[in-house]
Each structure stands twice: as C-alpha cells, then as structure tokens.
Amino acid sequence: MIPFTAFGLLGLLALSIPVGIVLFLLAFGIDFFFSPFPLMRGLGQVVWSSSNSATLIAIPLFVLLGEILVRSGVASRTYTALDKWVSWLPGGLIHANIATSTMFSATSGSSVATAATVATVAMPQARALGYNEKLFSGAIAAGGTLGIIIPPSINLIVYGFLTESSIPQLFLAGLLPGLLMALLFMIFTVILCVLWPSLGGPRRPSAWRERFVGLLDLIPIFGLFAAIVGSIYAGWATPTEAAAIGVGIALAIAVQQRAFSLDMLSQALRGAVRTSAMIMLVVIGAYVLNFVLTAAGVSRALQDLLNGLGLGPLATLLVIVLMYIVLGFFIETLSLMVATIPIVVPIIVHLGYDKIWFGILMIILVEMALITPPVGLNLYVVQSARGRAPFSDVMLGCIPYAFAMLLMVGLLILAPQLALFLPSSL
C-alpha cells in the first residue's frame, strides 16, 4: 500500500496531470485496491465538508489583496524607500531586494507574487548599475519565498485547515523565523560580497534626510500589516475578516496613489479567481486523499514501518526533513504540502512534536522547493523578468540562500522556541 501511494503520486505528477486531479486519482486508486469499504460513496459529503468552511474564504481575499497591491505601484515605492536604508551595505542594492521582499511578504501571502513584483521593479536597476545578475537574481528568488512564512500566508492557512491547527497561532509562529531568515539572507549576502566584491555592486549611502523622507512611502505597507495582523490578535477579527479588511485598505491605498481604475480592478479580480480556483482544487483534493489514507490505513501502516526501523524521534524527523528536500526538487510547493500533510503530520504528532512548530519547519522546507530546479517556480518567475541570459544564472545565484534555509531548519530543530515563543506568550 505504501509503495503504491508513493509511486502512484510521483508517477501521476510525472505525467504532468494537474495536481488537484492527481490527488483525486490517487484517492480513487487507494480506495479501489486497498479499502474493504466503498469509500468513494462518501465523496460528495467529503468534498462539501472540506469546502464549506469560512476559514477558506481568507484564501481568495488574500490573493486579491496581493493582486491589488501589485497593480497599484506600492512595490516600486517601497523598493525605492528601502534602497535608501540598506544599499550602503556590502552588496548594495541586493539588500533592497531582500528587504522589499520581506515587506511585501507581510501583505501578499504568496511567494510567487512577491518574487514577480520585486523582480519587475529591481531587474532594470541591476542592469543600469552593473550588478552581477547571478547573485542579484538569486536574492530576488530567495526573498520571494518569505511570502509563505511571514504572515499573512496562504500556505499557513492551508496547513492550518488540513491539520485543524490555529491559524492565528501559525501566523505568530511564522513571524520570528521569517524575519530571522531574511536577516540570514542579508548576512550571507554581506559575507559573499566581502569575500568576492565583484558579486555585488556600487554601495550607495543616502543622506539621513532622504532616508526619513522615504519612510513616508512605507506607511501604507506598515498600516496594512498592522490592520490585518493587529485586528486578528486584538480579537477584533478572524483571519477571514482581517483579509476582507485588508482588501478594503488595499483599494483605499490604490485610490490614494491614483492607481485605481475599473480596468485595474478587473485585472486583479481575474487574477485572484484564477489563482484561488487552482488552490481550492488542490485543497479539496488533499482533503479527499486525507480521508481515504486514514480510512484505508495508509497513515497507520507508515507509522508502523517507521517504528519498525527502530529510529528515535530525532532520527525520524531528520528522515522526514531529507524527504522534503528531495521531493522539493520535483514537486511544486503547495502540491508538496497537501500531498504529504495527511501522511507526515500524524507521524510527527505520534513522535511528540508540536504541530504548530512542525508547520513552520515544513514551510521552510517547501520554500526550498521554490528555488531548486527543475520545478522551482520562483526561478522561472525571476528568469521571465530578466528576459535574457542563461537560466543557470538564477539557479547558481540561489545556492547561498538555499544553504541559509538549511541553517534556519537546523536552528528551528535545535531551538523550537524560535517558532513557539510568540504563540505561547500571547
């Protein structure tokens, strides 16, 4: 049963079948070959119960929020403002890529949207100022991954829904690791550019007056983040209601920036519908697969297999970490999450680990899938923004940041309180 599940998943994905359909087909196959009961007779009820949740309304709302911000010009003004604060460091404008990705992640909820936005704004600057495009592009691709760990995060909402975990707690748990990982990206950049100055570019110190004037352009982002996250933790709004508040504020920002038009709104709505439909198909397919795996005993069989290996909790956890690293080369981020959560999370809970903590660890591991070929989506997003030069440049530029992610994984395993401190203190 376990080999059928593993090879069936990889085989169907290798055929380029859409991920949501793959999850349904795998569930049908497990039911047909291994279940003594006709589980598919309950398909309608499972699909309805998985989609009939107010929590999931937050997904299209956060997607729409990101679409509006992308089209309102907020990102370019944020980039210019942060450039004045961080470009004096070794590596220059590369740090603005990471800082802007961090700021945009606090409102977007999507890694691909974050990477696409920053790449569109930043790449012309790299060429005009003569930067080494390898590290410059790698920093954009890696910085974009912060979109799924710094709250609000669509992937954390999906994880919370599938594991019945508290989404506000997951948001809090992702904040410190996300900021720490952004800091690690900048530290790695400084080290590389000190050792090999040609990797960076001109350092451009700005006058203090310019820096403080530039902060005015950051007020909309800070205000939006404070409204979304603050309303959740003040107890004034659920994550879904906070997402709706965020959409309203984003529209107000677009009006204030004179970027609002019916055409802009139409494009944002169409983009949000396309993305949300894809996400919901995958989520519902994952819920159906979760139901079948549990009913057919696959999760229990995998637990028995791991217990039979005689590995301790830490060794088992390291095996799971290695599994995510390997699968990340071949499976897209959200797909990797929803296909493995039904199998892996029960094992993690059985080993005595915290679900909230593991959610953050899993997010960092699947973030690596965004910048590792051949399926790393952020690599293709940044390359499309470049429009020239070899694709291998982006891949090589991401290598230092992949090591930074591995370091963050190690820190989370050694110090779980990095993720659990905020949720436990509030």
Side-chain angles (χ1 to χ4, degrees), residues 44-175:
Q45 179 61 37
V46 174
V47 169
W48 170 251
S49 62
S50 64
S51 55
N52 183 28
S53 170
T55 301
L56 293 178
I57 300 175
I59 292 176
L61 289 174
F62 277 126
V63 172
L64 178 59
L65 169 61
E67 292 280 344
I68 292 171
L69 290 178
V70 167
R71 290 168 170 79
S72 64
V74 171
S76 59
R77 284 182 283 273
T78 301
Y79 189 84
T80 302
L82 291 173
D83 173 23
K84 294 179 172 62
W85 281 93
V86 298
S87 288
W88 61 271
L89 292 166
L93 204 59
I94 296 175
H95 297 285
N97 298 342
I98 299 169
T100 304
S101 296
T102 305
M103 289 286 293
F104 204 75
S105 297
T107 56
S108 169
S110 165
S111 286
V112 173
T114 301
T117 302
V118 178
T120 303
V121 174
M123 288 311 303
Q125 300 285 338
R127 290 162 187 160
L129 297 173
Y131 275 80
N132 180 299
E133 288 195 20
K134 292 180 182 178
L135 191 64
F136 196 92
S137 303
I140 297 174
T145 66
L146 298 170
I148 62 172
I149 187 170
I150 295 177
S153 162
I154 293 171
N155 289 56
L156 284 177
I157 293 173
V158 172
Y159 178 88
F161 176 72
L162 292 178
T163 62
E164 299 181 351
S165 302
S166 166
I167 292 173
Q169 283 195 339
L170 284 167
F171 280 2
L172 274 181
L175 186 57

Side-chain angles (χ1 to χ4, degrees), residues 369-390:
L370 286 165
I371 59 171
T372 51
V375 185
L377 290 183
N378 282 15
L379 300 178
Y380 295 99
V381 167
V382 174
Q383 178 64 14
S384 66
R386 296 174 75 211
R388 65 175 192 181

Side-chain angles (χ1 to χ4, degrees), residues 50-403:
S50 64
S51 55
N52 183 28
S53 170
T55 301
L56 293 178
I57 300 175
I59 292 176
L61 289 174
F62 277 126
V63 172
L64 178 59
L65 169 61
E67 292 280 344
I68 292 171
L69 290 178
V70 167
R71 290 168 170 79
S72 64
V74 171
S76 59
R77 284 182 283 273
T78 301
Y79 189 84
T80 302
L82 291 173
D83 173 23
K84 294 179 172 62
W85 281 93
V86 298
S87 288
W88 61 271
L89 292 166
L93 204 59
I94 296 175
H95 297 285
N97 298 342
I98 299 169
T100 304
S101 296
T102 305
M103 289 286 293
F104 204 75
S105 297
T107 56
S108 169
S110 165
S111 286
V112 173
T114 301
T117 302
V118 178
T120 303
V121 174
M123 288 311 303
Q125 300 285 338
R127 290 162 187 160
L129 297 173
Y131 275 80
N132 180 299
E133 288 195 20
K134 292 180 182 178
L135 191 64
F136 196 92
S137 303
I140 297 174
T145 66
L146 298 170
I148 62 172
I149 187 170
I150 295 177
S153 162
I154 293 171
N155 289 56
L156 284 177
I157 293 173
V158 172
Y159 178 88
F161 176 72
L162 292 178
T163 62
E164 299 181 351
S165 302
S166 166
I167 292 173
Q169 283 195 339
L170 284 167
F171 280 2
L172 274 181
L175 186 57
L176 283 182
L179 295 176
L180 180 56
M181 195 155 67
L183 180 61
L184 286 176
F185 288 165
M186 297 182 75
I187 291 172
F188 272 56
T189 301
V190 168
I191 293 172
L192 288 169
C193 292
V194 167
L195 295 176
W196 296 281
S198 62
L199 291 177
R203 297 162 67 177
R204 302 186 301 163
S206 299
W208 283 102
R209 183 180 180 280
E210 292 180 351
R211 294 180 183 182
F212 285 111
V213 170
L215 290 178
L216 294 175
D217 289 324
L218 300 182
I219 290 176
I221 291 289
F222 278 121
L224 185 56
F225 178 76
I228 293 172
V229 177
S231 63
I232 293 174
Y233 297 111
W236 299 338
T238 65
T240 301
E241 292 165 343
I245 292 170
V247 170
I249 295 175
L251 286 171
I253 291 172
V255 171
Q256 188 271 329
Q257 303 283 2
R258 298 180 180 178
F260 180 82
S261 67
L262 290 179
D263 182 60
M264 183 276 281
L265 181 60
S266 174
Q267 291 180 28
L269 288 170
R270 284 200 298 268
V273 168
R274 284 194 298 268
T275 304
S276 301
M278 179 273 293
I279 293 173
M280 284 305 303
L281 178 63
V282 173
V283 169
I284 294 171
Y287 205 90
V288 171
L289 180 61
N290 190 1
F291 166 72
V292 172
L293 289 174
T294 302
V298 175
S299 300
R300 185 171 58 255
L302 187 56
Q303 288 180 13
D304 293 340
L305 174 64
L306 291 175
N307 290 335
L309 295 176
L311 301 176
L314 179 59
T316 304
L317 177 65
L318 293 177
V319 169
I320 291 172
V321 167
L322 180 61
M323 177 195 75
Y324 274 105
I325 293 173
V326 173
L327 291 178
F329 287 104
F330 308 104
I331 305 177
E332 180 270 331
T333 307
L334 184 61
S335 312
L336 178 57
M337 281 184 58
V338 299
T340 56
I341 283 173
I343 301 171
V344 171
V345 172
I347 296 172
I348 289 296
V349 173
H350 178 72
L351 293 173
Y353 290 108
D354 188 277
K355 274 196 300 187
I356 299 293
W357 167 82
F358 181 73
I360 305 306
L361 184 70
M362 171 187 279
I363 288 291
I364 295 174
L365 289 168
V366 300
E367 279 182 332
M368 292 181 64
L370 286 165
I371 59 171
T372 51
V375 185
L377 290 183
N378 282 15
L379 300 178
Y380 295 99
V381 167
V382 174
Q383 178 64 14
S384 66
R386 296 174 75 211
R388 65 175 192 181
F391 179 60
S392 58
D393 285 355
V394 187
M395 292 189 292
L396 291 172
C398 285
I399 291 174
Y401 303 109
F403 281 108

Side-chain angles (χ1 to χ4, degrees), residues 27-48:
F28 295 156
I30 294 172
D31 174 41
F32 182 80
F33 290 109
F34 300 105
S35 174
F37 306 104
L39 298 176
M40 285 303 106
R41 290 188 180 181
L43 179 63
Q45 179 61 37
V46 174
V47 169
W48 170 251

